[in-house]
């Protein structure tokens, strides 16, 4: 007579599981570093499958058969190593307990606790993802009544935001739930501010072009630019009409551009033709450098 574990497992007729693929529950990863934690996570997924397919209402014999079929790998070899009698090997809870004890013995407690104590929030990891990772790691550490306090302490120590650390350390009565809520409130506010800044229109500021002041000619002769006048209300340079030469007393040019000194020199030399050319080009602003 063949054992029910050796026969092909069939799903109950009319159940929702008939529309589901049992292979959708991935086999247990027996090569995982922390096999105890891997088993607990896999068992949770499998139990969810049982509830969704109404297979948890079946007999223990069929549930054990489905468990072993879904586990795959060397699950059957481990099952046979338990040396259970016929009355025990078909009790679902007994089989699950045996596997849990087997995998817990394979994982050193020092390794699990080391991973817990060195756990830190990674870049891009949210507060909820970080605290969930800590909670899962603490399950296998056997902290007993100290579990909640240790999770709180490692949570604060591993935060990547130092301002959040300082805020939590100032709290007198703080548990893990309160710490997580405070950090989530800050995280949500920061995300809202960042989204608001990203969606706000960016005003492009350009510098207004101010053209250079033009040269204006006065009745007395050419004028030159006097430069930008910061006291001017219009923003343009002061016109040369209000500039007075302190050498000849005329308006329109500065002292260093005055031509009276050159004119007096030419009169003293009595160079009539050169004086004529100078007077001719007075209004154009050209100097006569070569005499004839």
């Amino acid at each position: 007579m063949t054992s029910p574990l050796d026969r092909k497992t069939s799903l109950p007729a009319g159940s929702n599981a008939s529309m589901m693929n049992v292979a959708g529950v991935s086999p247990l990863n027996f090569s995982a570093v922390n096999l105890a934690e891997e088993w607990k996570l896999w068992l949770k997924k499998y139990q969810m499958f049982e509830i969704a397919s109404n297979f948890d209402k079946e007999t223990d014999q069929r549930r054990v058969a489905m468990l072993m079929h879904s586990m795959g790998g060397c699950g059957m070899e481990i099952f046979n190593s338990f040396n259970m009698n016929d009355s025990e090997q078909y009790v679902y809870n007994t089989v699950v307990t045996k596997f849990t004890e087997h995998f817990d013995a394979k994982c050193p407690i020092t390794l699990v606790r080391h991973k817990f104590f060195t756990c830190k929030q990674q870049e891009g990891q949210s507060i909820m993802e970080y605290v969930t990772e800590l909670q899962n790691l603490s399950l296998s550490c056997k902290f007993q009544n100290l579990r909640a306090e240790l999770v709180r302490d490692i949570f604060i120590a591993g935060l990547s935001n130092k301002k959040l650390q300082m805020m939590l350390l100032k709290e007198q009565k703080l548990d893990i739930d309160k710490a997580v809520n405070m950090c989530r409130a800050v995280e949500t506010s920061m995300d809202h501010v960042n989204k608001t800044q990203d969606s706000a229109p960016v005003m492009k500021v350009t510098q207004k072009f101010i053209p250079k002041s033009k040269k204006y000619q006065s009745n007395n002769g050419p004028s030159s630019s006097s430069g930008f006048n910061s006291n001017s209300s219009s923003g343009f340079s002061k016109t040369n009409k209000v500039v007075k030469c302190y050498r000849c007393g005329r308006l329109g040019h500065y002292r260093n551009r005055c031509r009276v000194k050159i004119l007096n020199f030419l009169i003293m030399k009595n160079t009539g033709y050169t004086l004529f050319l100078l007077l001719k080009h007075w209004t154009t602003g050209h100097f006569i450098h070569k005499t004839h």
Side-chain angles (χ1 to χ4, degrees):
M1 181 178 180
T2 60
S3 171
L5 298 178
D6 299 329
R7 295 198 301 264
K8 182 178 179 181
T9 304
S10 60
L11 299 177
S15 65
N16 295 333
S18 60
M19 298 182 295
M20 300 179 63
N21 185 9
V22 181
V25 181
S26 303
L28 179 63
N29 182 17
F30 289 93
S31 61
V33 177
N34 189 351
L35 196 52
E37 190 64 29
E38 187 73 17
W39 158 254
K40 292 179 181 179
L41 181 61
W42 182 89
L43 184 61
K44 282 287 185 182
K45 294 179 180 179
Y46 177 77
Q47 290 173 346
M48 291 295 179
F49 162 76
E50 279 194 323
I51 295 174
S53 61
N54 287 331
F55 207 81
D56 57 330
K57 303 296 191 298
E58 293 295 318
T59 61
D60 279 11
Q61 188 178 25
R62 293 179 62 84
R63 293 182 67 189
V64 170
M66 178 63 75
L67 175 69
M68 300 307 302
H69 174 79
S70 302
M71 187 182 303
C74 56
M76 184 58 65
E77 297 177 2
I78 299 175
F79 177 84
N80 293 332
S81 67
F82 297 152
N83 294 323
M84 294 182 293
N85 53 38
D86 294 341
S87 61
E88 291 179 338
Q89 65 180 353
Y90 299 131
V91 179
Y92 178 81
N93 292 333
T94 302
V95 174
V96 171
T97 302
K98 289 288 185 179
F99 273 104
T100 302
E101 293 175 352
H102 172 79
F103 291 129
D104 286 343
K106 296 293 183 180
C107 184
I109 191 65
T110 54
L111 174 62
V112 178
R113 290 183 177 181
H114 179 267
K115 292 182 63 177
F116 172 77
F117 287 120
T118 58
C119 182
K120 294 184 179 181
Q121 185 182 16
Q122 302 299 319
E123 183 178 358
Q125 188 179 30
S126 65
I127 295 296
M128 289 305 302
E129 293 173 345
Y130 174 49
V131 71
T132 301
E133 182 181 4
L134 285 176
Q135 295 281 12
N136 292 333
L137 289 175
S138 66
L139 292 175
S140 304
C141 293
K142 299 180 180 180
F143 288 137
Q144 305 301 331
N145 297 332
L146 295 176
R147 177 171 173 261
E149 295 182 1
L150 289 174
V151 170
R152 177 202 60 191
D153 296 341
I154 300 301
F155 172 79
I156 298 175
L159 284 173
S160 59
N161 191 327
K162 302 305 178 183
K163 293 184 178 179
L164 287 179
Q165 281 186 343
M166 296 299 297
M167 179 184 68
L168 296 179
L169 291 174
K170 293 179 181 179
E171 293 292 324
Q172 296 293 333
K173 296 181 179 180
L174 183 68
D175 54 13
I176 183 60
D177 294 333
K178 184 178 179 181
V180 171
N181 292 334
M182 292 175 63
C183 291
R184 289 191 64 187
V186 175
E187 184 181 55
T188 304
S189 301
M190 292 177 63
D191 292 341
H192 176 71
V193 171
N194 293 333
K195 291 180 181 179
T196 304
Q197 291 179 351
D198 294 339
S199 61
V202 179
M203 302 299 294
K204 185 177 181 181
V205 179
T206 57
Q207 183 179 4
K208 183 178 179 181
F209 175 74
I210 302 177
K212 295 182 179 180
S213 59
K214 297 181 179 180
K215 293 183 179 180
Y216 297 94
Q217 292 184 352
S218 62
N219 296 332
N220 296 328
S223 61
S224 62
S225 174
S226 62
F228 180 75
N229 185 8
S230 59
N231 296 329
S232 175
S233 59
S234 61
F236 293 98
S237 61
K238 183 166 64 174
T239 60
N240 291 331
K241 292 184 180 181
V242 297
V243 177
K244 182 178 180 180
C245 176
Y246 291 97
R247 174 175 291 171
C248 65
R250 294 181 179 180
L251 303 177
H253 62 275
Y254 290 102
R255 180 179 179 179
N256 59 350
R257 294 179 178 269
C258 184
R259 297 171 177 81
V260 173
K261 183 177 181 180
I262 301 176
L263 180 62
N264 293 336
F265 174 77
L266 293 175
I267 292 175
M268 291 175 62
K269 292 296 183 178
N270 195 17
T271 56
Y273 182 70
T274 303
L275 179 62
F276 168 76
L277 292 178
L278 180 64
L279 294 175
K280 180 179 179 181
H281 295 284
W282 183 268
T283 58
T284 62
H286 298 289
F287 290 94
I288 305 298
H289 300 285
K290 183 178 180 181
T291 59
H292 298 277

